[in-house]
């Protein structure tokens, strides 16, 4: 891989993201239909410098605003929700290093990121009694290094990664993140993802069998949750941005289809409306959908601003405000993505359902991605905060 560009500021980051999104949109339906994994597209993403935009300025990064980062994901997801999903964990684990990495760890890994190297993830596990249970073990050797054993599922980005951050429990049962090379001995990444949506994320299995891990590749993640934190807020904001992007992408495709391909309903023609775009009932529905998308966009921007405000003055109260704002954005964006992805067929008509057009990918992507964590619990935490002043918990999903 050629050397990556180092992006200078927020404006450049958004311009680069818009350019990539325009190109990625062209073949998105074909990639989805064939389940063609986006290796060349990810190489372009790495070379573009976008993966390094949250590196702090002291390490030569642009350290863009959170609103800019959300905007990058929204642009990419409007074009291809699978491509946008792949680097979500990358930025989450860059953030872990910002918070808990030593100076030496940050110098090394931020250098890797600025060079275009990609982080994947090996976090979730299947077959446990509860979601979020972690059984993967990080055992210390006499020389101070570690050995890693476990099986991970839903490992988005791992197949395409240079480094795989692995969530594991050490001998003291506390959570740590081990940053493991994708080609390290004992690491096997299995492309067994068969979700109906986000089909090209390769969110499959990672097997870890006696994987050697140097001591300086391990970060004490448990410390993240011992004080006010934005780990969950940033991670969830990126998910909300993906949902908002799916909604805006689906709306744009619906508009284009109705303008250029849909035939007017015969009763509409009888009332003097020569094209589908003149049908007052369609106009009404498009207005409703546009309001949904605008609401999601507005709450996303508000939530990003709350995260930046909390980062500047991190307290229990500011972290809670940011988490609640992100939860509201996530719930709204998820609803918008599913609704607009489905309504696309309602407004475009029968021909829009042709498999060859690939328009169903928006709904499938939305329905798949919005299962990531239940919106009902976000609504609960918002209600508890508003009514009783109870701050949301520090478990990393708010």
């Amino acid at each position: 891989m050629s050397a990556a560009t180092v992006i200078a500021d927020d404006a450049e980051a958004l311009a680069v993201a818009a350019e990539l999104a325009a190109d990625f949109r062209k073949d998105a339906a074909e990639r989805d239909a064939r389940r063609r994994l986006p290796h060349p597209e990810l190489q372009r993403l790495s070379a573009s410098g976008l993966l390094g935009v949250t590196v702090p300025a002291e390490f030569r990064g642009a350290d863009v605003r959170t609103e800019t980062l959300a905007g990058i994901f929204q642009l990419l997801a409007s074009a291809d929700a699978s491509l946008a999903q792949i680097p979500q964990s990358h930025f989450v684990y860059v953030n872990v290093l910002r918070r808990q990495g030593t100076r030496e760890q940050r110098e090394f890994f931020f250098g890797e990121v600025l060079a275009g190297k990609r982080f994947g993830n090996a976090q979730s596990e299947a077959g446990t009694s509860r979601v979020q249970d972690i059984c993967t073990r990080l055992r210390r050797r006499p020389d101070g290094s570690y050995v890693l054993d476990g099986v991970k599922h839903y490992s988005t980005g791992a197949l395409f990664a240079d480094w795989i951050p692995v969530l594991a429990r050490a001998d003291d049962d506390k959570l740590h993140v081990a940053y493991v090379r994708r080609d390290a001995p004992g690491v096997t990444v299995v492309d067994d993802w068969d979700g109906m949506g986000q089909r090209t994320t390769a969110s499959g299995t990672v097997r870890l069998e006696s994987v050697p891990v140097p001591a300086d590749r391990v970060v004490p993640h448990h410390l993240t949750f011992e004080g006010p934190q934005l780990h969950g807020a940033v991670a969830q904001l990126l998910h909300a941005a993906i949902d908002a992007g799916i909604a805006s992408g689906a709306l744009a495709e619906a508009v284009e289809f109705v303008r250029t391909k849909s035939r007017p309903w015969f009763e509409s023609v009888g009332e003097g409306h020569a094209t589908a775009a003149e049908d007052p009932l369609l106009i009404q529905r498009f207005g409703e959908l546009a309001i949904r998308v605008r609401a999601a966009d507005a709450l996303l921007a508000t939530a990003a601003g709350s995260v930046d405000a909390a980062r500047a003055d991190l307290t229990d109260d500011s972290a809670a405000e940011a988490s609640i704002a992100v939860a509201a954005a996530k719930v709204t964006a998820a609803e918008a993505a599913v609704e607009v992805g489905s309504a696309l067929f309602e407004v475009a008509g029968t021909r829009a359902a042709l498999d060859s057009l690939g328009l169903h990918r928006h709904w499938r992507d939305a329905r798949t991605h919005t299962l990531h964590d239940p919106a009902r619990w976000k609504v609960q935490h918002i209600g508890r905060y508003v009514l009783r002043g109870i701050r949301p918990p520090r478990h990393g999903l708010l």
Side-chain angles (χ1 to χ4, degrees):
M1 183 177 68
S2 58
T5 298
V6 177
I7 287 176
D9 54 31
D10 294 72
E12 183 182 0
L14 289 170
V16 170
E19 180 181 354
L20 285 180
D23 285 346
F24 293 162
R25 183 175 291 109
K26 297 171 186 175
D27 298 320
E30 182 267 336
R31 280 192 298 275
D32 173 80
R34 297 177 179 272
R35 197 177 177 268
R36 178 173 65 79
L37 298 182
H39 291 286
E41 289 79 10
L42 287 172
Q43 290 284 53
R44 285 193 61 193
L45 183 64
S46 287
S48 75
L50 283 180
L51 296 181
V53 295
T54 59
V55 170
E58 66 176 306
F59 296 96
R60 297 191 308 115
D63 201 7
V64 299
R65 298 189 308 275
T66 305
E67 184 173 359
T68 298
L69 183 62
I72 291 168
F73 274 81
Q74 192 173 5
L75 284 165
L76 294 176
S78 71
D80 185 334
S82 289
L83 262 172
Q85 181 67 45
I86 291 167
Q88 190 267 348
S89 291
H90 170 92
F91 286 97
V92 169
Y93 285 102
V94 169
N95 204 35
V96 169
L97 288 164
R98 287 185 62 143
R99 176 85 175 182
Q100 301 301 341
T102 64
R103 177 79 188 190
E104 292 76 15
Q105 286 173 325
R106 285 180 288 157
E107 284 180 349
F108 174 75
F109 280 114
F110 291 160
E112 291 282 278
V113 168
L114 289 176
K117 298 296 179 65
R118 295 187 292 269
F119 291 169
N121 99 89
Q123 180 169 292
S124 298
E125 299 181 14
T128 57
S129 60
R130 298 176 304 170
V131 176
Q132 294 293 102
D133 281 354
I134 301 297
C135 299
T136 299
R137 305 306 300 191
L138 186 66
R139 303 188 188 281
R140 190 140 198 167
R141 289 171 162 172
D143 65 0
S145 68
Y146 295 86
V147 62
L148 189 61
D149 287 279
V151 179
K152 299 290 190 175
H153 298 271
Y154 309 116
S155 302
T156 304
L159 188 69
F160 312 106
D162 299 287
W163 292 90
I164 303 177
V166 180
L167 195 59
R169 294 196 179 277
D171 295 331
D172 58 5
D173 213 37
K174 292 181 178 179
L175 283 177
H176 291 68
V177 176
Y179 289 76
V180 177
R181 289 191 181 275
R182 163 70 176 79
D183 58 357
V187 175
T188 304
V189 181
V190 184
D191 179 21
D192 55 1
W193 169 244
D194 65 349
M196 70 172 184
Q198 295 196 304
R199 296 177 63 193
T200 61
T201 59
S203 302
T205 301
V206 172
R207 295 195 178 96
L208 306 151
E209 300 172 291
S210 300
V211 179
V213 184
D216 61 356
R217 299 295 182 258
V218 176
V219 173
H221 191 36
H222 60 95
L223 297 178
T224 300
F225 307 103
E226 293 185 1
Q229 50 81 36
L230 297 170
H231 175 80
V234 171
Q236 290 296 305
L237 185 76
L238 300 185
H239 284 306
I242 291 169
D243 289 336
I246 293 172
S248 63
L251 181 60
E253 291 233 44
V255 167
E256 177 66 16
F257 197 95
V258 170
R259 283 176 175 171
T260 62
K261 296 183 178 64
S262 293
R263 295 180 295 174
W265 183 241
F266 72 93
E267 291 175 285
S268 174
V269 174
E271 295 189 0
H273 307 297
T275 68
E278 297 174 60
D279 183 335
L281 298 180
L282 283 181
I283 289 171
Q284 176 72 20
R285 186 60 174 136
F286 270 102
E288 293 167 351
L289 297 175
I291 290 168
R292 289 284 199 184
V293 171
R294 284 174 176 260
D297 291 349
L299 285 175
L300 185 69
T302 298
S306 294
V307 171
D308 278 333
R311 183 170 282 153
D313 182 19
L314 188 58
T315 65
D316 284 329
D317 288 336
S318 67
E321 285 285 348
S323 289
I324 293 299
V326 170
K330 180 65 171 66
V331 170
T332 303
E335 291 174 347
V338 172
E339 180 180 357
V340 180
S342 176
L344 186 158
F345 304 100
E346 169 196 336
V347 297
T350 307
R351 191 152 49 121
L354 292 176
D355 191 56
S356 59
L357 296 177
L359 295 176
H360 46 62
R361 76 185 187 280
H362 298 293
W363 181 85
R364 288 187 290 101
D365 286 345
R367 186 65 281 174
T368 300
H369 183 254
T370 55
L371 297 175
H372 191 275
D373 47 87
R376 60 187 178 272
W377 275 100
K378 298 185 187 303
V379 175
Q380 277 283 311
H381 290 304
I382 293 169
R384 293 172 184 178
Y385 183 73
V386 171
L387 188 61
R388 299 168 59 191
I390 299 175
R391 297 188 188 107
R394 297 172 180 163
H395 54 42
L397 292 177
L398 281 167

